């Protein structure tokens, strides 16, 4: 149903189910020739009120950190830069990270090629259950969100056990596997720097299996016919420890800083890094997991990004602030919890609802 249409008996859940059952995604809607948004994608006016209030002049607040010499005498300076970025913003970009530019470009191109396969071909992967470890869908929170967002996603389980490679689409299989290897090396280095920035042993996060449980989300944001009425992804925080994000040259990623939104301008060859809720909890609020969002794509070209979310491999352990970061001067800010409980709560909520860190706050 178009935005401009009025229908007193509009049933959001019915429209969502029709869309989901069609298995065409937002790319399929666009290909069908629509010129206005179906009502299920239209967000409340209040949620859209600050779209125009982005501070571009302060985009340099989001630092770009040069990792060259990370294993040399430059390391303490890099640790300090990473630590400051995580304490202040929870977001930063990295360059000279060791991943060849051609690998990054190939990954973006392969993901784009998958999403631009004929709808009838892509339907074979369209599912919400994650049994095979590979699923193509639109909006992971489609049935929980108040309004849908304008994006499609290919999701692949990378660990603890890689999805059956036979189920990964051939058109992007090799590139996803290669990007997983490269991004994991980057994440291992960053986790060491993050630990050192907290005064902990460099291998602490790796020992806690935070390199092992990984999920890849390859997002595709087609041109949006009415970008002022919806989002690419609504404001949210990431649940895990660390997110490693590869993206193309089209902007739209914004971070909440105080009461304003900052645009993270694309930097050629850079990878975007952000802290998740679990690391904020482990760090006892030293590091920040902050709200971020993606605008609906106003460009005539599609926007592509590939995120890898790093979580704990051990789901049945208790997690809470590192004991070394708790003192009489700074008591624990969070109670302990089981990771299974944490992840269950994340996947049964609207992405836009408040961060899970708040749920476990003392």
């Amino acid at each position: 149903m178009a935005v401009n249409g009025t229908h007193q008996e509009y049933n959001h859940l019915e429209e969502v189910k029709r869309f989901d059952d069609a298995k065409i995604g937002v790319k399929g809607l666009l290909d069908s020739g629509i010129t206005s948004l179906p009502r299920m994608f239209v967000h409340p006016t209040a949620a859209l009120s600050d779209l125009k209030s982005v501070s571009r002049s302060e985009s340099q607040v989001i630092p770009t950190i040069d990792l060259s010499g990370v294993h040399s005498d430059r390391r303490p300076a890099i640790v300090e830069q990473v630590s400051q970025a995580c304490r202040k913003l929870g977001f930063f970009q990295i360059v000279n990270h060791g991943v060849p530019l051609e690998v990054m470009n190939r990954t973006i191109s392969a993901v784009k090629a998958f999403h631009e396969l004929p709808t009838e071909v892509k339907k074979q992967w369209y599912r919400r259950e994650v049994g095979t470890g590979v699923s193509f869908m639109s909006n992971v929170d489609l049935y929980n969100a108040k309004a849908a967002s304008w994006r499609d996603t290919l999701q692949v389980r990378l660990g603890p056990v890689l999805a059956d490679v036979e189920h990964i689409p051939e058109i992007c299989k090799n590139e996803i596997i290669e990007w997983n290897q490269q991004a994991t090396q980057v994440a291992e280095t960053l986790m060491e720097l993050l630990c050192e920035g907290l005064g902990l042993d460099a291998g602490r996060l790796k020992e806690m299996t935070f390199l092992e449980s990984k999920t890849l989300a390859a997002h595709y944001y087609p041109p949006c016919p009415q970008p002022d009425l919806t989002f690419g992804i609504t404001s949210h925080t990431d649940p895990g420890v660390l997110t490693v994000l590869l993206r193309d040259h089209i902007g739209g990623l914004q971070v909440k800083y105080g009461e304003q939104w900052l645009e993270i301008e694309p930097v050629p060859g850079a990878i975007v890094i952000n802290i998740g809720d679990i690391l904020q909890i482990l760090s006892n609020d030293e590091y920040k997991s902050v709200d971020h969002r993606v605008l609906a794509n106003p460009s005539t070209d599609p926007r592509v990004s590939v995120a890898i979310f790093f979580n704990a491999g051990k789901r049945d352990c208790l997690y809470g602030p590192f004991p070394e970061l708790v003192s009489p001067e700074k008591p624990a800010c969070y109670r302990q919890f089981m990771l299974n409980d944490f992840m269950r709560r994340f996947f049964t909520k609207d992405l836009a609802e408040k961060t899970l860190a708040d749920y476990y706050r003392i």
Side-chain angles (χ1 to χ4, degrees):
M1 179 174 293
V3 173
N4 301 327
T6 56
H7 195 305
Q8 290 181 330
E9 296 179 8
Y10 168 72
N11 185 312
H12 177 75
L13 190 57
E14 279 184 13
E15 185 173 354
V16 164
K17 190 165 187 337
R18 274 199 307 273
F19 167 71
D20 202 33
D21 288 348
K23 301 184 175 184
I24 64 173
V26 296
K27 173 71 162 56
L29 281 180
L30 193 67
D31 290 346
S32 74
I34 65 163
T35 56
S36 59
L37 286 181
R39 188 164 165 181
M40 61 177 277
F41 290 96
V42 179
H43 286 252
T45 305
L48 300 164
S49 61
D50 61 359
L51 281 180
K52 300 284 190 274
S53 67
V54 177
S55 172
R56 291 178 182 277
S57 61
E58 292 197 56
S59 60
Q60 68 272 19
V61 172
I62 311 290
T64 298
I65 299 173
D66 185 345
L67 292 189
S68 58
V70 71
H71 299 297
S72 72
D73 57 3
R74 281 200 67 231
R75 190 178 181 94
I78 296 172
V79 166
E80 178 64 18
Q81 289 174 36
V82 168
S83 176
Q84 286 304 312
C86 294
R87 291 168 193 272
K88 183 179 179 182
L89 293 153
F91 265 81
F92 56 98
Q93 301 196 75
I94 54 171
V95 292
N96 294 319
H97 38 64
V99 183
L101 186 60
E102 57 267 27
V103 171
M104 299 167 69
N105 290 339
R106 274 204 305 271
T107 304
I108 291 287
S109 295
V111 164
K112 181 172 182 283
F114 166 78
H115 282 287
E116 292 178 353
L117 285 171
T119 300
E120 289 304 313
V121 175
K122 283 188 297 188
K123 276 185 178 180
Q124 64 184 291
W125 289 285
Y126 196 100
R127 63 179 69 89
R128 295 205 170 267
E129 65 279 3
V130 291
T132 65
V134 180
S135 57
F136 160 59
M137 72 183 90
S138 186
N139 290 251
V140 67
D141 61 340
L142 185 68
Y143 288 92
N144 297 315
K146 295 175 182 66
S149 296
W150 198 250
R151 77 178 181 284
D152 293 331
T153 302
L154 173 67
Q155 194 166 290
V156 180
R157 185 186 68 235
L158 301 177
V161 179
L162 179 68
D164 186 336
V165 292
E166 297 306 311
H167 288 111
I168 303 175
E170 188 67 37
I171 198 167
C172 56
K173 179 190 302 182
N174 292 337
E175 289 79 6
I176 283 175
I177 291 170
E178 185 174 23
W179 173 239
N180 174 33
Q181 293 167 343
Q182 296 277 357
T184 302
Q185 290 177 2
V186 169
E188 181 168 3
T189 298
L190 287 168
M191 286 188 194
E192 291 179 358
L193 300 174
L194 291 164
C195 287
E196 291 172 35
L198 292 170
L200 303 171
D201 179 76
R204 187 69 172 275
L205 288 170
K206 183 179 181 181
E207 289 164 11
M208 294 175 71
T209 71
F210 284 122
L211 281 167
E212 294 177 17
S213 182
K214 301 172 282 185
T215 300
L216 176 139
H219 299 306
Y220 184 88
Y221 305 85
C224 183
Q226 293 176 295
D228 292 343
L229 296 179
T230 191
F231 289 95
I233 298 182
T234 50
S235 174
H236 67 285
T237 60
D238 291 348
V241 172
L242 194 69
T243 303
V244 176
L245 178 72
L246 175 62
R247 60 184 185 147
D248 63 16
H249 63 285
I250 297 175
L253 174 61
Q254 299 180 344
V255 176
K256 193 79 178 282
Y257 180 56
E259 292 306 309
Q260 62 183 337
W261 288 96
L262 302 181
E263 183 95 16
I264 302 188
E265 301 291 351
V267 173
I271 297 170
V272 179
I273 306 296
N274 68 278
I275 301 304
D277 292 348
I278 289 176
L279 188 50
Q280 175 172 317
I281 292 169
L282 291 171
S283 74
N284 206 28
D285 275 351
E286 293 294 320
Y287 291 163
K288 303 293 187 286
S289 173
V290 301
D291 284 304
H292 52 288
R293 68 187 185 186
V294 178
L295 302 189
N297 183 9
S299 169
T300 54
D301 295 321
R303 178 184 185 274
V304 175
S305 67
V306 186
I308 296 183
F309 304 102
F310 288 85
N311 297 293
K314 294 178 181 173
R315 293 291 176 96
D316 54 354
C317 295
L318 278 172
Y319 291 86
F322 287 120
E324 301 94 317
L325 303 180
V326 176
S327 67
E329 295 74 37
K330 187 169 185 189
C333 300
Y334 302 92
R335 57 190 168 90
Q336 293 196 319
F337 57 88
M338 299 283 280
L339 197 65
N340 273 331
D341 178 65
F342 182 96
M343 299 309 289
R344 178 180 58 78
R345 290 181 187 281
F346 177 78
F347 284 109
T348 53
K349 78 180 187 78
D350 176 347
L351 270 183
E353 288 176 6
K354 67 179 184 179
T355 167
L356 275 178
D358 289 347
Y359 180 82
Y360 296 100
R361 189 175 289 280
I362 294 173

